[in-house]
């Protein structure tokens, strides 16, 4: 793949260039600011851009937002020393968010994802079909002891309220996030389905609906032993959804 590396720190930039080149990819340009990055992208039309966030003139998040306006935007992977920009990065359609010093395996994994149609391109397709369409987000960000983790929506079994946080059960385990169930429902109503005031499920992993007692139901999932209660209020809608699947 053709890649641009943008970082105002020479050593960090050189390290990324080395990893990219050693992995068989081509670095078509380097930049030290967001402004330089935009010019380089327009000139070289890369497949991917590796972006730092804190840079002079224009930061990485603003740069990524500007890039989504291009006809053929590159996939964006942030490589930064700061973990608190993850939500902003996702809103800017980034497909990866790595903390410095970027681990070689993590970087190669992120580049592998970039081979697929990136989120910005999907948005452009949706805009052609529906100009009022909302931006597509394919990940949920969670702060863990490993830093910021990006959990792919397609790997999520369910989300449930856990005091002031939301618990997200996914293929690799459990994380807590700051977003509310209401916010998730509004954004992902086509993929996460409400079964209780305290829980939403990914219908892709729904195995079957079971009667526990008279008037009491629970859902079982494919791949995990856990179950979730279904409220009487949401039961009719869930049954209707199951019948249409």
């Amino acid at each position: 793949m053709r890649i641009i590396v943008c970082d105002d720190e020479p050593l960090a930039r050189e390290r990324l260039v080395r990893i990219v080149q050693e992995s068989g990819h081509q670095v078509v340009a380097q930049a030290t600011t967001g402004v330089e990055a935009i010019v380089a992208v327009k000139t070289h039309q890369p497949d991917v851009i590796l972006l730092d966030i804190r840079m002079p003139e224009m930061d990485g998040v603003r740069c990524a937002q500007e890039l989504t306006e291009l006809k053929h935007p590159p996939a964006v992977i942030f490589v930064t020393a700061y973990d608190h920009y993850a939500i902003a990065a996702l809103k800017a359609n980034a497909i990866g968010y790595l903390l410095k010093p970027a681990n070689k395996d993590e970087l190669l994994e992120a580049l592998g994802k970039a081979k697929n149609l990136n989120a910005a391109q999907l948005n452009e397709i949706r805009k052609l079909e529906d100009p009022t369409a909302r931006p597509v987000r394919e990940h949920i960000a969670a702060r863990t002891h490993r830093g910021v983790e990006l959990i792919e929506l397609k790997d999520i079994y369910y989300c449930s309220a856990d005091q002031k946080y939301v618990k997200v059960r996914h293929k690799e385990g459990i994380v807590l996030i700051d977003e509310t169930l209401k916010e998730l429902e509004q954004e992902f109503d086509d993929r996460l389905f409400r079964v209780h005031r305290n829980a939403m499920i990914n219908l892709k992993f729904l195995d079957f609906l079971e009667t526990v007692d008279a008037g009491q139901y629970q859902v079982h999932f494919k791949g995990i032993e856990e179950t979730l209660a279904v409220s009487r209020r949401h039961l009719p809608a869930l049954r209707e959804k199951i019948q249409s699947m």
Side-chain angles (χ1 to χ4, degrees):
M1 288 189 296
R2 294 162 49 80
I3 298 171
I4 287 177
V5 177
C6 181
D7 195 312
D8 63 325
E9 299 176 6
L11 291 179
R13 190 172 64 253
E14 291 169 9
R15 182 175 184 275
L16 290 175
V17 169
R18 185 174 67 254
I19 293 175
V20 168
Q21 292 178 332
E22 289 176 352
S23 304
H25 300 293
Q26 180 185 5
V27 176
V28 295
Q30 298 182 41
T32 60
T33 71
V35 174
E36 289 181 9
I38 291 174
V39 173
V41 167
K42 291 180 178 179
T43 302
H44 299 279
Q45 296 291 306
D47 302 304
V48 180
I49 181 167
L50 304 181
L51 265 181
D52 189 13
I53 288 186
R54 286 198 177 180
M55 297 181 293
E57 295 186 51
M58 178 188 288
D59 66 32
V61 173
R62 174 67 185 281
C63 175
Q65 293 169 341
E66 294 282 337
L67 291 176
T68 63
E69 301 299 320
L70 299 179
K71 185 176 182 180
H72 299 292
V76 175
I77 299 172
F78 285 107
V79 185
T80 176
Y82 306 94
D83 65 1
H84 53 279
Y85 292 101
I87 299 299
L90 290 175
K91 289 182 178 178
N93 294 319
I95 65 166
Y97 191 97
L98 308 179
L99 293 179
K100 293 181 179 179
N103 177 280
K104 180 179 179 180
D105 292 337
E106 291 176 340
L107 179 56
L108 293 183
E109 181 181 352
L111 290 175
K113 292 179 181 179
K115 292 180 180 179
N116 300 321
L117 199 63
N118 68 65
Q121 291 170 319
L122 285 174
N123 286 340
E124 291 304 313
I125 292 173
R126 294 179 77 240
K127 286 176 184 176
L128 290 175
E129 299 172 346
D130 179 4
T132 65
R134 295 172 300 174
V136 176
R137 181 157 63 113
E138 298 297 335
H139 302 79
I140 289 176
R143 291 186 178 89
T144 70
H145 65 281
R146 292 187 290 270
V148 176
E149 290 188 44
L150 299 182
I151 312 301
E152 292 194 64
L153 281 171
K154 65 182 182 63
D155 292 336
I156 293 174
Y157 290 100
Y158 65 82
C159 301
S160 62
D162 188 351
Q163 296 182 13
K164 61 180 181 179
Y165 297 99
V166 165
K167 179 174 75 173
V168 177
R169 176 67 163 96
H170 61 102
K171 285 186 175 181
E172 302 301 323
I174 295 173
V175 295
L176 297 179
I177 63 174
D178 295 329
E179 298 178 79
T180 66
L181 284 179
K182 183 177 181 179
E183 290 170 337
L184 295 175
E185 183 177 28
Q186 289 174 342
E187 185 171 1
F188 306 119
D189 60 347
D190 59 332
R191 284 171 283 184
L192 297 178
F193 192 84
R194 179 83 71 159
V195 297
H196 194 281
R197 65 183 178 86
N198 291 330
M200 301 175 65
I201 67 170
N202 185 342
L203 289 170
K204 182 180 76 171
F205 292 113
L206 173 63
D207 194 5
F208 62 92
L209 177 66
E210 178 187 31
T211 304
V212 183
D213 288 311
Q216 302 295 317
Y217 293 83
Q218 63 184 14
V219 288
H220 290 252
F221 298 91
K222 301 172 185 175
I224 58 175
E225 297 297 326
E226 302 167 45
T227 60
L228 281 180
V230 178
S231 71
R232 293 183 180 181
R233 176 185 174 187
H234 294 93
L235 180 62
L238 179 60
R239 280 177 164 165
E240 183 178 344
K241 194 71 175 179
I242 292 174
Q243 291 175 354
S244 65
M245 291 172 62

